[in-house]
Amino acid sequence: MMPEKIIPYKIYLEEEEMPRQWYNVRADMKNKPAPLLHPGTLQPITFEELREVFCDELARQELNDTDAYIDIPQEILDFYKMYRPSPLVRAYCLEKKLDTPAKIYYKFEGNNTSGSHKLNSAIAQAYYAKQQGLKGVTTETGAGQWGTALSMACSYFDLDCHVYMVKVSYEQKPFRREVMRTYGAQVTPSPSDTTKVGRKILEEFPGTGGSLGCAISEAVEAAGEREGYRYVLGSVLSQVLLHQSIIGEETKAALRKYDIKPDMIIGCAGGGSNLGGLISPFVGEKIRGEADYRILAVEPASCPSLTRGKYVYDFCDTGKVCPLAKMYTLGSGFMPAPNHAGGLRYHGMSSVVSQLYDDGLIEAVSVEQTAVFKAAEEFARVEGILPAPESAHAIKAAVDEAVKCKETGEEKTIVFGLTGTGYFDMVAYGKFHDGQMVDYIPSEEDLAKGFAGLPPVPGI
Amino acid sequence: MMPEKIIPYKIYLEEEEMPRQWYNVRADMKNKPAPLLHPGTLQPITFEELREVFCDELARQELNDTDAYIDIPQEILDFYKMYRPSPLVRAYCLEKKLDTPAKIYYKFEGNNTSGSHKLNSAIAQAYYAKQQGLKGVTTETGAGQWGTALSMACSYFDLDCHVYMVKVSYEQKPFRREVMRTYGAQVTPSPSDTTKVGRKILEEFPGTGGSLGCAISEAVEAAGEREGYRYVLGSVLSQVLLHQSIIGEETKAALRKYDIKPDMIIGCAGGGSNLGGLISPFVGEKIRGEADYRILAVEPASCPSLTRGKYVYDFCDTGKVCPLAKMYTLGSGFMPAPNHAGGLRYHGMSSVVSQLYDDGLIEAVSVEQTAVFKAAEEFARVEGILPAPESAHAIKAAVDEAVKCKETGEEKTIVFGLTGTGYFDMVAYGKFHDGQMVDYIPSEEDLAKGFAGLPPVPGI
């Protein structure tokens, strides 16, 4: 049953084979992502403006669309060694179960305590904050993966970490909260009375469960008011995609090590950090004409920014205090239905991913959540790993492609990103088991409401 | 900061370096563990008697104290490849934090969805059941690690799996239950009205939260009454230690690969499966006079079977339907205080580990739970991994030894077993953070009550 050349179940890179640079796909993009705009002036944001929000080096990385490779500092490489390289796994059991001629690989990012790929950027952001002599950072978290990752990273560098956690998650996911506390983070349910914006919202909407948009605003305000603090964010930003390129660089190196040529790369897409990181090196080859791949972004049907959104400038947060970004968006006022992939509920998409999509370099598809959980369970039963609902979007698409291969007889090689584990998502799995899960697809009216809140800013 | 010879953060074995045999330490033991006794006749149990409870090959393995090496079937090796080898990690960050000259390594068994080492034996037991043409297996679970592992294993081999889960755990750990359901297991809170013994207990103690002893009895009864079913158990048994020797064999191979000679091996001890598996190859060398190591079993002060128990024959379950074992025990009626390391609350200790301890080949120490959680948190903050409370017992002892090395200046090499992750133990971590955790140490009266229930069976 073994293929011609024996591929191990899990391909690990040796320490000396590990990438030592992040790859910045913007440098190779012919159409650069549109610049962030200052929310007050609506002009492209400058380094001096951006460094008031982010620490200096991260502001530089955010604006850098010319350097293709950026050295990873030794301290970050050392931390990466604790949980990287992540394995590139050949899904032999899944292939057998599907009886497909396709060869399926997945890059598994869940083998660290934060349980997801978020740690790749969290450690970088904490490092640069520490290097600048800051005391701490603030952030928001919804589902909790980013907050957990940042807590771990800050604990490692002995930085204060203050997480504003969407109140409904704070209450429904107490275990996530405890993991963050284990790593020494301060966790505040948002909206809270510790910020002006929080107090204002509590006054307007007493008893509200909060939202990511509100938590972002609180975190930004808190960072601005404290000496030696900056705000950090776990997705959407170009700097985050840069750090996450470690996923794609490792994947490329692992494939090369065994002479494997993928036909297709698949990733789930929320804010775009995992997808962007995984695909960057492959898109780079595609842009440079060195290779061709089909690249597929998979998003939830309930929050379909790529497949049903508009490519325009929009607010990044509901409080409208952050810079504006040009992106595929459903509007910052779009309220995604309560699906169970909390990490894929952002109204917009990374500017980099948006531009690649607009240029036709990547494709996108949306999938419904019951089908996603069905694929997740099938995958868990044969491959062992219990996937996060977010990650399972990529599984669903990969399985669909592998089934198509069975029909056509094609021996395609499919690589997908498995971003994390679902240990803290068992409420959702329970609903699925009990037949209580429903699919949400926004109506045209729902979308129109979201689009109505778009700012009147022309694309640049 | 690197040592003379560069040791990677994580030592992985290549597939061709993986052990292909389990090591059966009983074959090398000069004093063999005392035989199991039939609960009716009180005579050493025979293969014919044992195969009514366990499937044939496992009954054979249980009785085999002569073959030092047993081939691991290819199907099990294939499954092991999905999550093994587990990494042997050099705890560089912990060493730095402790400022110790000691070199600390840990063998991390938590990188699989069941979250612990239990999967090593679960897959073997499921395989032999399948091979015998059985329809399914029954078992009990307390904390839930074993139930999860067995569910995964049965799902892989398409076997029915029925788990009797201690009712209080079933209610307090609904997420564990959902993981098992994800893998297709039937999970019944115990005591239940589905068995005679369950109904009897419910009648006598309406509203009881159940106990491991009761769940064992229900699982054994259920297996006996169904055509094509057998009962399986996740610890204590010699067959389980045999399967878990994969941990020790891999550890030995990884150490050899880098010429590392450990001075000390440390493992947490509940029923003894992880400890026995980790130490077996090293104890073997010690018995054969090829090497010398200090070997340390770490148990909770609240359930101190080795350090305060008696070495006598005792019942393995409170229902007294299982064979009797000679072991260090607190008596099957001993009620351990509600500490948070559910996996270390068994009243007795594996016969193999008990005999090794009685022969002076291994040492034992007990530790209190607040100190254990403090060590767990310290470890998590520097090494990233969030340890299970059980595993953290070994961390606590390893840290204590490393601190001693700092005082004496000794450059000892310490290896400990990190059996699993604590994702489902956040309630306990929360109590620790909130200062609500207390230490339980049984009084002499508590112990006397447990000893009063020992059967009047002389040691053989």
Side-chain angles (χ1 to χ4, degrees):
Chain A
M1 299 296 288
M2 284 284 151
E4 312 81 272
K5 175 167 182 172
I6 292 175
I7 309 289
Y9 272 65
K10 292 179 293 186
I11 305 176
Y12 280 109
L13 299 174
E14 301 291 325
E15 269 184 31
E16 60 273 19
E17 297 169 321
M18 285 277 290
R20 304 184 65 84
Q21 294 181 309
W22 291 307
Y23 170 62
N24 183 11
V25 71
R26 286 171 291 168
D28 282 325
M29 287 170 71
K30 284 165 194 165
N31 298 316
K32 305 288 182 193
L36 294 172
L37 301 187
H38 187 280
T41 65
L42 296 184
Q43 292 303 304
I45 204 158
T46 64
F47 171 70
E48 285 303 325
E49 288 163 343
L50 210 51
R51 68 189 288 250
E52 290 177 18
V53 184
F54 303 127
C55 67
D56 292 2
E57 190 55 35
L58 293 169
R60 260 179 227 116
Q61 291 180 358
E62 192 61 32
L63 298 173
N64 184 344
D65 59 11
T66 49
D67 297 324
Y69 288 95
I70 292 177
D71 287 341
I72 307 175
Q74 188 58 46
E75 289 85 345
I76 298 175
L77 287 173
D78 286 346
F79 187 88
Y80 279 168
K81 281 181 198 164
M82 295 205 300
Y83 71 101
R84 306 202 69 83
S86 72
L88 181 71
V89 187
R90 173 77 183 267
Y92 281 119
C93 297
L94 180 63
E95 291 171 17
K96 196 175 158 194
K97 166 92 179 172
L98 298 173
D99 189 23
T100 175
K103 295 177 179 71
I104 308 173
Y105 294 85
Y106 54 94
K107 179 72 169 168
F108 179 45
E109 292 290 319
N111 267 354
N112 69 73
T113 285
S114 79
S116 82
H117 66 291
K118 296 282 184 187
L119 195 54
N120 301 331
S121 183
I123 193 63
Q125 297 193 44
Y127 167 76
Y128 290 119
K130 185 71 180 180
Q131 206 198 21
Q132 194 175 324
L134 297 179
K135 284 187 203 153
V137 293
T138 67
T139 199
E140 76 293 321
T141 201
Q145 289 185 327
W146 168 248
T148 308
L150 189 68
S151 303
M152 287 179 66
C154 286
S155 151
Y156 183 77
F157 283 125
D158 204 15
L159 270 176
D160 276 358
C161 179
H162 192 160
V163 180
Y164 288 86
M165 185 172 190
V166 175
K167 195 176 186 177
V168 61
S169 289
Y170 182 90
E171 284 163 1
Q172 288 179 356
K173 295 195 168 189
F175 295 169
R176 269 283 178 207
R177 187 183 72 208
E178 286 308 332
V179 178
M180 289 184 255
R181 288 177 76 199
T182 300
Y183 287 96
Q186 184 183 349
V187 187
T188 302
S190 167
S192 74
D193 60 6
T194 66
T195 64
K196 271 175 283 181
V197 64
R199 285 190 293 271
K200 191 176 158 212
I201 288 170
L202 281 173
E203 224 168 79
E204 255 178 89
F205 308 98
T208 176
S211 72
L212 206 54
C214 167
I216 292 179
S217 303
E218 286 205 85
V220 171
E221 180 186 323
E225 301 223 328
R226 288 181 218 170
E227 189 64 28
Y229 278 73
R230 288 293 184 284
Y231 167 72
V232 297
L233 180 62
S235 189
V236 183
L237 297 172
S238 298
Q239 60 185 273
V240 179
L241 268 72
L242 173 69
H243 307 148
Q244 295 295 357
S245 71
I246 187 79
I247 305 174
E249 287 291 324
E250 278 185 18
T251 303
K252 205 173 91 172
L255 292 170
R256 289 244 166 110
K257 188 169 175 175
Y258 287 90
D259 280 329
I260 304 160
K261 290 193 176 54
D263 297 296
M264 216 175 156
I265 324 272
I266 299 174
C268 62
S273 73
N274 136 72
L275 177 80
L278 171 66
I279 69 173
S280 275
F282 301 98
V283 168
E285 289 183 288
K286 205 167 160 174
I287 295 173
R288 298 189 304 268
E290 297 164 8
D292 197 20
Y293 311 101
R294 270 191 70 204
I295 297 175
L296 184 62
V298 191
E299 58 183 15
S302 59
C303 193
S305 56
L306 284 174
T307 53
R308 298 178 71 194
K310 292 189 178 177
Y311 189 38
V312 293
Y313 265 104
D314 193 10
F315 302 107
C316 290
D317 61 325
T318 28
K320 305 179 183 178
V321 297
C322 296
L324 280 72
K326 188 179 176 191
M327 53 187 180
Y328 276 86
T329 180
L330 300 164
S332 65
F334 175 77
M335 291 301 290
N339 78 65
H340 292 292
L344 304 183
R345 295 185 63 203
Y346 188 66
H347 65 276
M349 178 58 64
S350 135
S351 292
V352 172
V353 171
S354 292
Q355 186 62 47
L356 294 173
Y357 180 61
D358 202 57
D359 288 342
L361 287 158
I362 66 177
E363 304 165 42
V365 68
S366 77
V367 290
E368 293 173 25
Q369 72 173 345
T370 50
V372 164
F373 273 84
K374 189 163 174 290
E377 188 166 277
E378 259 182 35
F379 180 82
R381 289 189 182 182
V382 292
E383 289 290 323
I385 294 166
L386 181 78
E390 291 83 356
S391 324
H393 285 68
I395 297 175
K396 167 65 181 152
V399 165
D400 286 350
E401 291 294 330
V403 169
K404 275 185 216 158
C405 287
K406 186 181 173 183
E407 290 157 8
T408 61
E410 286 174 289
E411 288 189 28
K412 277 189 192 164
T413 295
I414 299 167
V415 175
F416 72 89
L418 191 73
T419 55
T421 50
Y423 295 110
F424 295 99
D425 299 286
M426 296 321 294
V427 170
Y429 274 94
K431 282 200 177 158
F432 173 69
H433 296 144
D434 294 335
Q436 290 171 3
M437 186 170 277
V438 283
D439 291 323
Y440 301 98
I441 301 180
S443 66
E444 291 303 322
E445 288 74 24
D446 294 334
L447 294 185
K449 274 184 217 165
F451 294 144
L454 288 172
V457 181
I460 288 183
Chain B
M1 300 295 289
M2 285 283 152
E4 313 81 272
K5 177 168 181 175
I6 292 174
I7 310 289
Y9 272 65
K10 292 179 292 186
I11 306 176
Y12 281 108
L13 299 174
E14 300 292 323
E15 268 183 32
E16 61 273 19
E17 297 168 321
M18 285 277 290
R20 304 183 66 83
Q21 295 180 310
W22 291 307
Y23 169 62
N24 183 10
V25 70
R26 287 170 291 169
D28 282 326
M29 287 170 71
K30 283 164 194 164
N31 299 315
K32 306 286 184 196
L36 294 172
L37 301 186
H38 189 281
T41 64
L42 297 184
Q43 292 303 304
I45 204 157
T46 64
F47 171 70
E48 286 303 326
E49 288 163 342
L50 211 51
R51 68 189 288 252
E52 292 177 16
V53 184
F54 303 126
C55 66
D56 293 2
E57 190 55 34
L58 292 169
R60 260 178 226 114
Q61 290 180 358
E62 191 62 32
L63 298 172
N64 183 344
D65 59 10
T66 50
D67 296 325
Y69 288 95
I70 292 176
D71 288 342
I72 307 175
Q74 187 59 45
E75 289 85 345
I76 298 175
L77 287 173
D78 286 346
F79 187 89
Y80 278 168
K81 280 182 200 165
M82 294 207 301
Y83 71 102
R84 308 201 67 83
S86 73
L88 180 70
V89 186
R90 174 76 184 268
Y92 282 119
C93 297
L94 181 63
E95 291 171 18
K96 196 175 157 192
K97 165 95 179 170
L98 298 174
D99 189 23
T100 175
K103 295 176 180 72
I104 309 174
Y105 295 85
Y106 55 92
K107 179 73 170 166
F108 179 46
E109 292 289 318
N111 267 354
N112 70 73
T113 286
S114 79
S116 82
H117 66 291
K118 295 282 184 187
L119 195 54
N120 301 330
S121 183
I123 194 64
Q125 297 193 45
Y127 168 76
Y128 290 119
K130 186 71 181 180
Q131 205 198 22
Q132 194 176 324
L134 297 180
K135 283 187 202 150
V137 292
T138 68
T139 199
E140 75 294 322
T141 201
Q145 289 185 328
W146 168 246
T148 308
L150 189 68
S151 303
M152 286 179 67
C154 286
S155 150
Y156 183 77
F157 283 124
D158 203 16
L159 270 177
D160 276 359
C161 178
H162 192 159
V163 180
Y164 288 87
M165 186 171 189
V166 175
K167 196 176 187 177
V168 61
S169 289
Y170 182 90
E171 285 164 359
Q172 287 180 356
K173 295 194 168 190
F175 294 170
R176 271 279 179 210
R177 186 182 75 207
E178 285 308 331
V179 178
M180 289 184 253
R181 289 178 75 199
T182 300
Y183 288 96
Q186 185 184 348
V187 187
T188 303
S190 167
S192 74
D193 60 5
T194 66
T195 64
K196 271 176 283 182
V197 64
R199 285 190 294 273
K200 192 177 157 214
I201 288 169
L202 280 173
E203 224 168 80
E204 253 177 89
F205 307 98
T208 174
S211 72
L212 206 55
C214 167
I216 293 178
S217 303
E218 287 205 84
V220 171
E221 181 186 322
E225 302 222 325
R226 289 183 216 169
E227 187 66 28
Y229 278 74
R230 290 293 185 282
Y231 167 72
V232 296
L233 180 64
S235 189
V236 184
L237 297 171
S238 299
Q239 60 184 272
V240 179
L241 267 72
L242 173 69
H243 308 147
Q244 294 296 359
S245 71
I246 187 78
I247 306 173
E249 287 291 325
E250 277 184 19
T251 303
K252 205 173 90 170
L255 291 171
R256 290 244 165 111
K257 189 171 175 175
Y258 287 90
D259 281 330
I260 304 161
K261 291 193 176 54
D263 298 294
M264 217 177 155
I265 324 271
I266 299 174
C268 63
S273 74
N274 137 70
L275 177 80
L278 172 65
I279 68 173
S280 276
F282 300 99
V283 168
E285 291 183 286
K286 204 167 162 173
I287 294 172
R288 298 190 304 268
E290 297 164 8
D292 197 21
Y293 310 101
R294 272 189 70 202
I295 297 175
L296 184 62
V298 191
E299 58 183 16
S302 58
C303 193
S305 56
L306 284 174
T307 52
R308 298 178 70 193
K310 291 189 180 178
Y311 189 37
V312 293
Y313 266 105
D314 194 11
F315 302 107
C316 289
D317 61 325
T318 28
K320 303 180 184 180
V321 297
C322 297
L324 281 70
K326 186 177 175 192
M327 53 187 181
Y328 276 86
T329 180
L330 298 165
S332 66
F334 175 78
M335 292 302 289
N339 77 63
H340 293 290
L344 305 182
R345 296 184 62 201
Y346 189 65
H347 66 277
M349 179 58 63
S350 136
S351 292
V352 173
V353 171
S354 292
Q355 187 62 48
L356 293 173
Y357 180 61
D358 203 55
D359 288 343
L361 286 159
I362 66 176
E363 305 165 41
V365 67
S366 77
V367 290
E368 294 173 24
Q369 74 173 344
T370 49
V372 165
F373 274 83
K374 188 163 176 288
E377 189 167 276
E378 258 182 34
F379 180 83
R381 290 190 182 181
V382 293
E383 290 290 320
I385 295 166
L386 181 78
E390 291 83 357
S391 324
H393 285 68
I395 296 174
K396 166 66 182 153
V399 165
D400 285 349
E401 291 294 332
V403 168
K404 276 185 216 158
C405 286
K406 188 183 173 182
E407 289 158 9
T408 62
E410 286 173 290
E411 288 188 27
K412 277 188 193 163
T413 296
I414 299 167
V415 174
F416 73 91
L418 190 73
T419 55
T421 50
Y423 295 110
F424 295 99
D425 299 287
M426 295 321 295
V427 169
Y429 273 95
K431 282 200 179 159
F432 173 69
H433 296 146
D434 294 335
Q436 289 170 3
M437 185 170 278
V438 282
D439 292 321
Y440 301 98
I441 302 179
S443 66
E444 291 304 320
E445 288 75 25
D446 295 334
L447 294 185
K449 274 184 214 164
F451 294 143
L454 289 171
V457 181
I460 288 184

